[in-house]
């Protein structure tokens, strides 16, 4: 298959990086559009009758995968300028299952094709889903929501086949948990369903709000009510959009943690205060400093000791699960005992084993910990990591387990005295654009090998 974007994806063909750490990271990095919005906005383009233009698209492999999936369905994808994708759905058709299967193996985005494909083609076929191995990551909320719209879900030898012989009708849906993906599933399906959909217990992450902005530009009627309720009035037709993706909060928070852990000073161009408020509070409590500017945020270590914190991951506006891995590296350098409770995924502390190998004192409690300071003592799947610091880190040979865990290994290796080798680098390229160039710009001492 000839994919324009994959042809221009910059070379992180290297699978191994050797880092000589112990040097503060200083300088500027530019953060572009969020992976977790751009990929969804690309899927939304399938719903339009006319082409869509998405701006500030990061050059990451998740975008590449979605590009190739859209192309498999007949969407013409071109790149009119740097960071732009023009998506023309004029000739959408059924894709060959083999193409989709090969592509889907490394991403969870295919599940979000269901609604748009049902509207356009009357059926959707979803193969086994990929994405980071951070827990079970079931799709029951997605399938229940699609059934509520009138879809029929059948398991076939190829995967899950979803059809809608009588069309899709607006529905009353209450999610058991404010899942980001399931909320997107409902939005992408309800906008063209017949009648009104009421979604209760919806996710309200800034990337969801940005997807709603995209859909509104396309002609959708969506109102956000108090208490996580969203109403969607189905319309007959949607047009293409022109939209600049919201900045990547996860990448911004990752570089901020890198500045703190390495005693550095990083200006994250493109980062905005509003969407990072909860992160900024924790960053300040740990002892990091930040200056908010019009065009970005400067994150720095002011000298002296860092302080321990108690953090619990949560849905927005809580502390994002994607922020905890980079932060934990910085917490290994704080004076005292920090606790991080993970309440979103059931298995997102696996990466800490490698940090322990590098000298960190981290104990993971699989059943969580009782403590009166906890804010969200409600999910069975929680785990707690207790980090005692400060501990000097030393170099080690480690393998990237997942996207955010992988980035935290980069930070740990940059913080550590001595040399570290990190393999399986390709996973980091799923969500961090040009990260080796950015590291070089921040003065990191490293070499990469294929
Ligand atoms: N869940 C179910 N059933 C479902 C769907 C979700 O039980 O049908 C559970 C999950 O197993 C998990 C929890 O609900 O325990 C939260 O999952 P959610 O659906 O909110 O997450 P997601 O849509 O799969 C997105 C991001 C993640 C990010 C989470 C939380 C994308 C592509 N992924 O995942 O990002 O951590 O929301 O904000 O948008 C990453 O970027 O590295 C990443 C993993």
């Amino acid at each position: 298959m000839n994919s324009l974007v994959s042809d221009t994806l910059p070379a992180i063909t290297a699978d191994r990086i050797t880092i000589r750490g112990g040097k503060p990271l200083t300088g500027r990095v530019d953060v572009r559009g969020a992976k977790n919005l751009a990929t969804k906005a690309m899927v939304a383009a399938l719903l339009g009758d006319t082409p869509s233009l998405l701006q500030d698209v990061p050059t990451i492999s998740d975008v590449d995968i979605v590009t190739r999936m859209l192309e498999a369905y007949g969407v013409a994808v071109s790149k009119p300028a740097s960071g732009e994708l023009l998506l023309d759905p004029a000739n959408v058709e059924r894709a060959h299952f083999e193409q989709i299967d090969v592509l889907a193996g490394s991403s969870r985005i295919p599940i979000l094709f269901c609604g748009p494909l049902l509207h356009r083609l009357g059926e959707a076929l979803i193969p086994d889903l990929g994405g980071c191995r951070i827990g079970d990551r079931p799709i029951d909320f997605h399938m229940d929501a699609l059934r509520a719209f009138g879809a029929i879900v059948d398991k076939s030898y190829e995967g899950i086949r979803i059809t809608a012989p009588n069309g899709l009708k607006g529905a009353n849906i209450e999610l058991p948990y404010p899942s980001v993906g399931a909320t997107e599933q409902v939005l992408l399906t309800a906008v063209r369903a017949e009648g009104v959909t009421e979604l209760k217990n919806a996710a309200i992450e800034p990337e969801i709000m940005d997807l709603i902005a995209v859909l509104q530009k396309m002609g959708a009627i969506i109102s956000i009510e108090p208490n996580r309720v969203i109403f969607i009035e189905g319309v007959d037709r949607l047009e293409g959009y022109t939209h600049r993706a919201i900045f990547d909060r996860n990448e911004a928070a990752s570089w901020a943690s890198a500045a703190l852990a390495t005693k550095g000073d990083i200006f994250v161009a493109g980062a905005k205060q509003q969407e990072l408020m909860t992160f900024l509070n924790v960053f300040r409590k740990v002892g990091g400093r930040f200056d908010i500017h019009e065009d970005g945020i400067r994150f720095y270590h002011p000298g002296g000791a860092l302080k321990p914190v108690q953090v619990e991951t949560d849905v927005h506006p809580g502390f994002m699960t994607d922020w905890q891995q980079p932060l934990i590296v910085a917490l290994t350098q704080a004076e005292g005992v920090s606790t991080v409770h993970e309440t979103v995924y059931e298995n997102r502390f696996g990466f800490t084993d490698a940090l322990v190998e590098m000298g960190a004192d981290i104990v993971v409690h699989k059943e969580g910990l009782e403590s009166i300071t906890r804010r969200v003592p409600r999910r069975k799947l929680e785990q707690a990591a207790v980090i005692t610091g400060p501990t000097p880190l030393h170099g080690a040979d480690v393998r990237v387990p997942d996207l955010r865990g992988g980035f935290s290994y980069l930070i740990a290796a940059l913080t550590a005295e001595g040399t570290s080798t990190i393999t399986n680098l390709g996973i980091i390229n799923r969500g961090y654009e040009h990260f080796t160039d950015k590291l070089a710009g921040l003065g990191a001492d490293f070499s990469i090998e294929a």
Side-chain angles (χ1 to χ4, degrees):
M1 192 186 319
N2 185 18
S3 165
L4 187 138
V5 177
S6 58
D7 289 348
T8 55
L9 192 69
I12 308 285
T13 47
D15 192 51
R16 172 192 294 263
I17 186 168
T18 301
I19 294 179
R20 292 161 287 278
K23 216 176 138 200
L25 292 184
T26 54
R28 168 192 167 115
V29 289
D30 285 82
V31 167
R32 281 214 279 188
K35 159 177 98 68
N36 292 347
L37 175 277
T39 45
K40 322 314 172 44
M42 290 170 72
V43 177
L46 265 176
L47 290 163
D49 287 350
T50 52
S52 292
L53 180 68
L54 186 60
Q55 296 162 319
D56 239 357
V57 183
T59 311
I60 53 174
S61 54
D62 267 14
V63 164
D64 190 46
I65 290 165
V66 179
T67 298
R68 286 190 278 154
M69 289 200 64
L70 287 168
E71 287 174 335
Y73 283 109
V75 177
V77 184
S78 57
K79 206 171 183 185
S82 169
E84 288 190 351
L85 284 185
L86 185 65
L87 307 140
D88 185 351
N91 297 313
V92 169
E93 59 193 28
R94 274 176 183 71
H96 291 292
F97 177 76
E98 304 75 47
Q99 286 174 301
I100 298 300
D101 196 26
V102 168
L103 294 168
S106 45
S107 168
R108 279 183 65 79
I109 308 296
I111 187 85
L112 295 178
F113 277 69
C114 292
L117 289 179
L118 285 172
H119 287 302
R120 292 217 55 147
L121 303 172
E123 75 168 343
L125 193 56
I126 306 301
D128 274 349
L129 296 173
C132 286
R133 287 196 202 96
I134 50 181
D136 269 354
R137 306 193 76 180
I139 54 167
D140 49 339
F141 305 162
H142 295 253
M143 294 304 125
D144 289 348
L146 288 166
R147 284 191 195 97
F149 284 108
I152 295 172
V153 179
D154 288 316
K155 286 217 162 190
S156 81
Y157 69 97
E158 293 169 315
I160 301 171
R161 180 177 293 278
I162 303 156
T163 49
N166 300 317
L168 297 167
K169 308 260 179 341
N172 291 326
I173 298 168
E174 178 160 5
L175 295 177
Y177 176 81
S179 149
V180 168
T183 299
E184 292 160 344
Q185 181 77 261
V186 171
L187 289 168
L188 290 166
T189 308
V191 284
R192 286 273 322 272
E194 191 188 322
V196 178
T197 295
E198 179 182 10
L199 175 63
K200 290 189 184 148
N201 208 20
I204 51 166
E205 268 64 8
E207 294 78 16
I208 301 256
M209 294 302 134
D210 210 36
L211 181 63
I212 291 175
V214 166
L215 293 168
Q216 187 178 53
K217 285 177 176 174
M218 297 179 80
I221 302 172
I222 302 171
S223 50
I224 302 151
E225 308 285 327
N227 300 322
R228 297 186 176 277
V229 175
I230 300 179
F231 281 102
I232 306 117
E233 293 175 41
V235 295
D236 288 343
R237 128 164 233 280
L238 294 169
E239 300 172 353
Y241 61 81
T242 296
H243 189 77
R244 183 169 296 280
I246 186 175
F247 78 99
D248 198 310
R249 301 185 293 149
N250 296 339
E251 189 185 356
S254 300
W255 290 116
S257 294
L260 202 53
T262 65
K263 299 193 169 141
D265 187 336
I266 303 180
F267 181 73
V268 182
K272 296 198 171 72
Q273 178 183 17
Q274 198 81 26
E275 290 80 8
L276 282 170
M277 280 189 163
T278 307
F279 178 81
L280 292 172
N281 286 337
V282 173
F283 192 82
R284 177 171 278 160
K285 283 194 203 170
V286 179
R289 296 257 175 89
F290 55 85
D291 301 332
I292 313 279
H293 296 258
E294 280 280 294
D295 57 342
I297 304 179
R298 174 188 169 205
F299 294 95
Y300 59 103
H301 188 307
L306 296 181
K307 289 168 278 185
V309 281
Q310 314 300 310
V311 175
E312 209 160 309
T313 66
D314 198 0
V315 293
H316 189 75
F319 190 91
M320 276 202 85
T321 165
D322 302 274
W323 298 338
Q324 55 94 344
Q325 300 89 335
L327 180 77
I328 281 180
V329 183
L331 293 179
T332 67
Q333 305 307 302
E335 261 181 25
V337 180
S338 299
T339 311
V340 177
H341 260 99
E342 170 60 52
T343 75
V344 179
Y345 290 109
E346 66 267 44
N347 184 17
R348 221 177 185 183
F349 284 136
F351 75 101
T352 59
D353 290 349
L355 300 185
V356 171
E357 208 181 301
M358 296 174 86
D361 180 348
I362 304 174
V363 178
V364 174
H365 298 262
K366 294 211 181 303
E367 306 297 327
L369 281 174
E370 289 306 323
S371 111
I372 46 161
T373 53
R374 307 244 345 264
R375 206 165 65 83
V376 200
R378 56 177 164 72
R379 295 205 81 202
K380 281 203 195 97
L381 47 78
E382 70 200 25
Q383 296 180 299
V386 177
I387 306 114
T388 306
T391 47
L393 300 181
H394 52 77
D397 293 346
V398 294
R399 185 178 163 80
V400 169
D402 61 70
L403 177 61
R404 308 295 166 196
F407 196 85
S408 79
Y409 289 1
L410 292 177
I411 303 177
L414 292 157
T415 307
E417 289 299 333
T419 302
S420 299
T421 302
I422 304 175
T423 51
N424 205 22
L425 271 195
I427 291 190
I428 302 181
N429 196 37
R430 279 191 46 216
Y432 292 91
E433 177 185 58
H434 303 308
F435 68 91
T436 50
D437 294 347
K438 290 180 184 176
L439 286 175
L442 295 171
D445 181 2
F446 67 91
S447 40
I448 45 180
E449 295 161 45

